[in-house]
Amino acid sequence: MRRSDLLLFVAAALVLVALSSVTAWRLDYAPDETSHLTVVEVVADERRPLTWEDTRYGADRGHAYHLYSPVAYLPYVPARWVAEAVGPLEGAAHPDRVVVRFGAWSIAVAQLAATWSLVRRVLRTSSARLALAVAVAVNLVPQLRYMHAYITTDGMTVLAATVAVAVSARVLQRPRAEVVDGLLCGLAIALCAHVRYNALIVGAVTLLALAWRAARAAQPWRPRLRPLGVALAVALVLSAPFHLWVYEEQANRHVTASTTHEQLRESTFLGHLTEDVSTAELIRIRGAEVDEVGEGMWLRFQRYHKISAAIWRVLAVLTVLGVVAALASRQLTRAIKVLTIVLVVAFFVTWVAMAAQWPFTAHGRFLLPVGLPIVAIAASGYTALLGERSRIPAVVVPAAVAAGLGSLLLDGIRALR
């Protein structure tokens, strides 16, 4: 990598951090932020994980946040220490927590780096600067900028999924998988296992990519399976102990609160369980939400966004067309095209999995972990197709997308005033 490319990356990262910082300064309400802040405070101040007593109903809204891995909150821990040292920042919407929100700066920079790596592997022959331009355009998605403006596990979840897809692209473009590929896959899967569970679907895609490469390698079976064994071993060593602890903590063989476990039953938002919904009724309700999936994919936060829903639907359509462009481009390898199709399937698998979690909605930020890599491939598809069919510099497309999304973001910031 040339020094000039690195300087451009730093400049782009500073722009994204500045945009999120403006939102963090002005943002009044963010979903579940008080509960997330409790986790950060306990981990940073008391150097211990949460217990059920910390999160039961009546203590910061109540939810089973002690079942969340502290790994997803680590970027906010140093920011919490800084906040304790500098005190409240007057003028911010939340003077006492805005510095902790700035902990997402590291997530934003890492997200840009992961997206850049993914786009470079998708476009292959294009320059690093062009790939960076596409990555910046993708990272200007308003919902992502919003995630990087408050205390949440969603930003780390999207980052883990993007890293997993970038590693998958690396594996698929190699003639055979090596031990280092297995190590990278294992680390990516372990990271997915320590964030929200909707990232695990993308982690499964990474494992599938490694298995596919091993099956097609022209070598004996033992060296083929060695990277796969390394990936599974690393992922299990780094994540299994935590999930075994979660299983023991729940002690009821349920993945959610239930009447068979009094502590978890009380660790809900309302202090009691919601009424069960029949399968037929759930299908009817979720069927009515299908037309909102495209809109919800881009939604910064459904209760407070001020931008016309028609704009979000247009962006969703552009994403679909970008995926078609990627599949039609000769610049993208066959393996990357197969990965794209698998990710699209994973997107709808995620939607179905979330749709079954009553009473939570099945769109919005829960779809972005698998959705953002698809957006990156779609933007790469536009760029590649334009580069093949026109002498116009391919950078025009990501620049135009960046300008459009940037203007939407500015509109969103003004709406927060």
Side-chain angles (χ1 to χ4, degrees):
M1 182 187 300
R2 293 182 299 181
R3 183 179 180 182
S4 58
D5 295 336
L6 183 59
L7 291 176
L8 285 174
F9 171 80
V10 172
L14 289 175
V15 170
L16 295 177
V17 165
L19 289 173
S20 288
S21 298
V22 171
T23 305
W25 186 270
R26 296 179 175 179
L27 187 62
D28 181 24
Y29 176 82
D32 306 333
E33 188 177 39
T34 300
S35 298
H36 290 298
L37 180 60
T38 299
V39 182
V40 175
E41 290 174 345
V42 171
V43 173
D45 300 345
E46 304 181 29
R47 312 294 200 277
R48 66 172 178 84
L50 270 70
T51 64
W52 168 72
E53 288 77 9
D54 295 318
T55 56
R56 66 173 181 255
Y57 179 69
D60 294 321
R61 293 188 67 198
H63 191 37
Y65 277 81
H66 64 298
L67 302 182
Y68 285 10
S69 170
V71 171
Y73 297 96
L74 291 181
Y76 299 100
V77 171
R80 167 64 183 175
W81 295 335
V82 174
E84 286 290 292
V86 302
L89 296 185
E90 299 301 328
H94 281 281
D96 58 335
R97 71 176 61 171
V98 65
V99 175
V100 184
R101 287 176 171 179
F102 291 159
W105 288 352
S106 59
I107 302 176
V109 174
Q111 180 66 51
L112 178 61
T115 309
W116 190 17
S117 175
L118 173 59
V119 173
R120 290 189 69 177
R121 295 201 172 275
V122 171
L123 291 178
R124 289 189 308 151
T125 58
S126 299
S127 69
R129 294 186 180 185
L130 175 60
L132 180 59
V134 176
V136 171
V138 172
N139 278 261
L140 281 172
V141 168
Q143 190 186 42
L144 186 63
R145 300 270 49 79
Y146 180 67
M147 286 181 180
H148 294 162
Y150 71 100
I151 306 163
T152 179
T153 57
D154 291 322
M156 280 292 290
T157 304
V158 176
L159 173 60
T162 306
V163 169
V165 175
V167 171
S168 301
R170 167 194 163 93
V171 169
L172 291 174
Q173 290 183 327
R174 296 171 66 86
R176 61 180 180 271
E178 305 290 350
V179 172
V180 66
D181 298 308
L183 177 61
L184 291 174
C185 288
L187 291 173
I189 295 170
L191 183 59
C192 289
H194 279 283
V195 292
R196 286 184 179 270
Y197 67 83
N198 44 321
L200 280 174
I201 295 176
V202 184
V205 171
T206 301
L207 190 62
L208 182 64
L210 185 62
W212 184 83
R213 175 48 64 208
R216 296 178 62 87
Q219 56 184 159
W221 276 105
R222 181 170 293 180
R224 287 193 204 183
L225 296 177
R226 189 176 295 119
L228 195 60
V230 170
L232 290 172
V234 170
L236 289 174
V237 168
L238 294 180
S239 63
F242 169 75
H243 287 280
L244 288 174
W245 175 83
V246 170
Y247 177 84
E248 179 66 23
E249 184 73 7
Q250 294 186 95
N252 63 351
R253 299 185 181 181
H254 288 263
V255 296
T256 56
S258 76
T259 54
T260 63
H261 194 293
E262 184 69 15
Q263 292 180 352
L264 287 184
R265 186 184 68 79
E266 294 183 358
S267 294
T268 60
F269 286 118
L270 302 176
H272 60 81
L273 295 177
T274 56
E275 294 182 5
D276 291 334
V277 177
S278 66
T279 302
E281 179 66 11
L282 184 60
I283 292 174
R284 186 192 67 79
I285 294 172
R286 296 315 190 194
E289 292 178 350
V290 170
D291 62 341
E292 301 176 6
V293 172
E295 176 187 347
M297 162 69 194
W298 299 96
L299 226 50
R300 290 169 45 251
F301 183 51
Q302 61 196 55
R303 207 184 307 174
Y304 287 90
H305 83 105
K306 309 294 183 181
I307 303 173
S308 171
I311 296 178
W312 305 116
R313 293 192 179 100
V314 169
L315 290 176
V317 170
L318 289 176
T319 302
V320 173
L321 294 177
V323 169
V324 174
L327 296 176
S329 171
R330 291 172 295 180
Q331 186 174 340
L332 274 66
T333 64
R334 180 181 178 183
I336 293 297
K337 293 178 180 179
V338 172
L339 176 62
T340 303
I341 295 173
V342 172
L343 287 174
V344 171
V345 173
F347 179 88
F348 288 100
V349 170
T350 304
W351 184 84
V352 171
M354 294 306 304
Q357 300 299 309
W358 176 259
F360 300 105
T361 53
H363 50 67
R365 55 198 170 100
F366 300 117
L367 294 177
L368 201 60
V370 64
L372 194 78
I374 294 175
V375 172
I377 294 175
S380 302
Y382 281 122
T383 305
L385 201 62
L386 180 59
E388 292 171 2
R389 301 180 181 278
S390 173
R391 294 184 178 180
I392 301 174
V395 76
V396 169
V397 169
V401 174
L405 291 178
S407 63
L408 288 176
L409 181 62
L410 292 176
D411 288 342
I413 292 174
R414 284 194 289 269
L416 292 172
R417 293 179 179 176

